[in-house]
Amino acid sequence: MCGGSGGRDGVSGPEAAGVREFWGRLGVPGLIDVHTHFMPDRVLRKVWAYFDAYAAGGGVEWPISYRHEEERRVELLGEFGVRAFTSMIYPHKAGMAKWLNGWAVDFARRTPGCLQTATFFPEPGVEEYVRDAVEAGARVFKAHVQVGGYDPNDVLLDPVWGLLAEAGIPVVTHCGSGPEPGKHTGPGVMARLLARHPRLRLVVAHMGMPEYADFLDLAERYEEVRLDTTMAFTDFSEGLMPFPKAESGRLVELGERILLGSDFPNIPYPYVHQLEALERLGLGDAWLRGVLYGNGARLFGVR
């Protein structure tokens, strides 16, 4: 588990206390965050550079709230009481995924609380290195259809999806069209994938933003489909791609398959705001307890 309760930057102490107070009054032992990013330093800095330039390219201002060195970022999650988290890695071209997976193995081994994460790309040899990652202990995979610019139905990936479905390993997938659509984003692409692999433990990142209703449809149709809350319902996202209030009842009906995600450290607001945004949905403490801890604990066997 993540350790630490202090705050050496002068800000995280009060902030951490607020996060802990939030989940403490719900009676859960902490948080399970299925969507956090840890990756090799030079890769992460390129990600940060992308967000730094986002406004200049016509997007909104996207300040990185937790632009710290790796050790400090891990400490912060511990101070927040995050008991389990991921190291969401993803390639944007061929030849990266196997290297990223090797880095992620080392990171998980030296980082208590990290759910060992792996990724893939449609390329020759992908089935072999995904199998190697599973055998090395990967507990969750990340697929970024938007950044990777690939079709998840690519024939090279078919054995990969089958392998992961058989192994029961969740795949957090950025497949919605937010913040910008990609050539292969959207619910139709994933519907075709699930038709062939109905037992795939697909976790739709960002609640499928902005195609919320369509991805909720897929979750109703396939019992292993889940959605993570990453950036959804926050002031930032509601100003750009608001969740339709008419769909709120479905969040309750699918409550056991909604998981906390944050996008830490790449978020433009304090970590606690994601929690507050979920609370103000008004779906009740039992729903919140499941989203913040219980659902993830069951999925990953966290005690």
Side-chain angles (χ1 to χ4, degrees), residues 36-118:
T36 61
H37 290 284
F38 288 88
M39 53 187 69
D41 184 69
R42 62 188 173 97
V43 177
L44 184 59
R45 293 190 183 279
K46 289 181 179 179
V47 173
W48 287 348
Y50 168 82
F51 288 118
D52 289 343
Y54 194 66
V60 297
E61 292 289 339
W62 197 309
I64 304 296
S65 293
Y66 300 98
R67 197 188 299 257
H68 305 295
E69 296 301 315
E70 179 185 286
E71 180 183 4
R72 183 64 188 129
R73 284 181 274 121
V74 172
E75 287 179 349
L76 277 168
L77 290 181
E79 291 167 14
F80 293 161
V82 179
R83 294 172 61 86
F85 60 94
T86 57
S87 60
M88 294 277 104
I89 47 175
Y90 51 88
H92 63 271
K93 61 182 180 180
M96 286 185 67
K98 186 175 181 179
W99 167 69
L100 287 170
N101 290 349
W103 179 90
V105 169
D106 177 69
F107 177 77
R109 287 175 178 169
R110 58 186 166 82
T111 308
C114 180
L115 300 166
Q116 186 175 314
T117 310

Side-chain angles (χ1 to χ4, degrees), residues 8-300:
R8 68 185 192 195
D9 55 18
V11 176
S12 65
E15 181 184 7
V19 174
R20 286 176 169 270
E21 189 278 331
F22 188 100
W23 56 257
R25 61 184 163 80
L26 289 170
V28 293
L31 305 171
I32 296 177
D33 190 336
V34 304
H35 198 133
T36 61
H37 290 284
F38 288 88
M39 53 187 69
D41 184 69
R42 62 188 173 97
V43 177
L44 184 59
R45 293 190 183 279
K46 289 181 179 179
V47 173
W48 287 348
Y50 168 82
F51 288 118
D52 289 343
Y54 194 66
V60 297
E61 292 289 339
W62 197 309
I64 304 296
S65 293
Y66 300 98
R67 197 188 299 257
H68 305 295
E69 296 301 315
E70 179 185 286
E71 180 183 4
R72 183 64 188 129
R73 284 181 274 121
V74 172
E75 287 179 349
L76 277 168
L77 290 181
E79 291 167 14
F80 293 161
V82 179
R83 294 172 61 86
F85 60 94
T86 57
S87 60
M88 294 277 104
I89 47 175
Y90 51 88
H92 63 271
K93 61 182 180 180
M96 286 185 67
K98 186 175 181 179
W99 167 69
L100 287 170
N101 290 349
W103 179 90
V105 169
D106 177 69
F107 177 77
R109 287 175 178 169
R110 58 186 166 82
T111 308
C114 180
L115 300 166
Q116 186 175 314
T117 310
T119 190
F120 52 80
F121 193 84
E123 58 190 329
V126 60
E127 180 181 6
E128 180 181 0
Y129 70 67
V130 166
R131 190 177 301 278
D132 289 344
V134 171
E135 292 175 353
R139 298 176 68 184
V140 60
F141 276 72
K142 167 71 173 187
H144 207 313
V145 173
Q146 181 194 49
V147 169
Y150 60 82
D151 185 348
N153 293 287
D154 189 305
V155 65
L156 287 169
L157 292 180
D158 211 45
V160 169
W161 296 117
L163 188 162
L164 295 176
E166 185 66 26
I169 297 178
V171 187
V172 177
T173 307
H174 188 131
C175 47
S177 299
E180 297 175 354
K183 184 178 180 181
H184 301 290
T185 58
V189 177
M190 303 313 294
R192 292 194 293 275
L193 175 65
L194 288 164
R196 295 198 318 281
H197 300 285
R199 293 187 297 120
L200 179 67
R201 286 187 165 176
L202 179 73
V203 180
V204 178
H206 304 278
M207 296 292 297
M209 184 187 308
E211 296 107 336
Y212 302 105
D214 293 326
F215 281 106
L216 288 169
D217 288 345
L218 288 180
E220 289 175 345
R221 197 179 315 161
Y222 296 98
E223 63 182 19
E224 291 293 354
V225 171
R226 295 164 173 82
L227 304 98
D228 81 31
T229 67
T230 305
M231 296 191 73
F233 316 112
T234 63
D235 293 347
F236 182 86
S237 296
E238 285 293 287
L240 298 170
M241 299 177 177
F243 183 86
K245 289 183 171 55
E247 305 294 340
S248 296
R250 301 172 78 187
L251 298 177
V252 177
E253 294 166 4
L254 293 166
E256 293 187 352
R257 285 190 276 141
I258 298 176
L259 308 165
L260 173 65
S262 69
D263 238 350
F264 176 93
N266 306 329
I267 46 178
Y269 43 75
Y271 188 93
V272 72
H273 180 55
Q274 178 73 75
L275 311 182
E276 294 168 340
L278 294 172
E279 183 177 46
R280 72 185 179 191
L281 291 172
L283 302 181
D285 286 356
W287 184 86
L288 268 178
R289 283 191 287 270
V291 172
L292 300 186
Y293 186 81
N295 300 340
R298 285 194 302 276
L299 182 60
F300 291 106

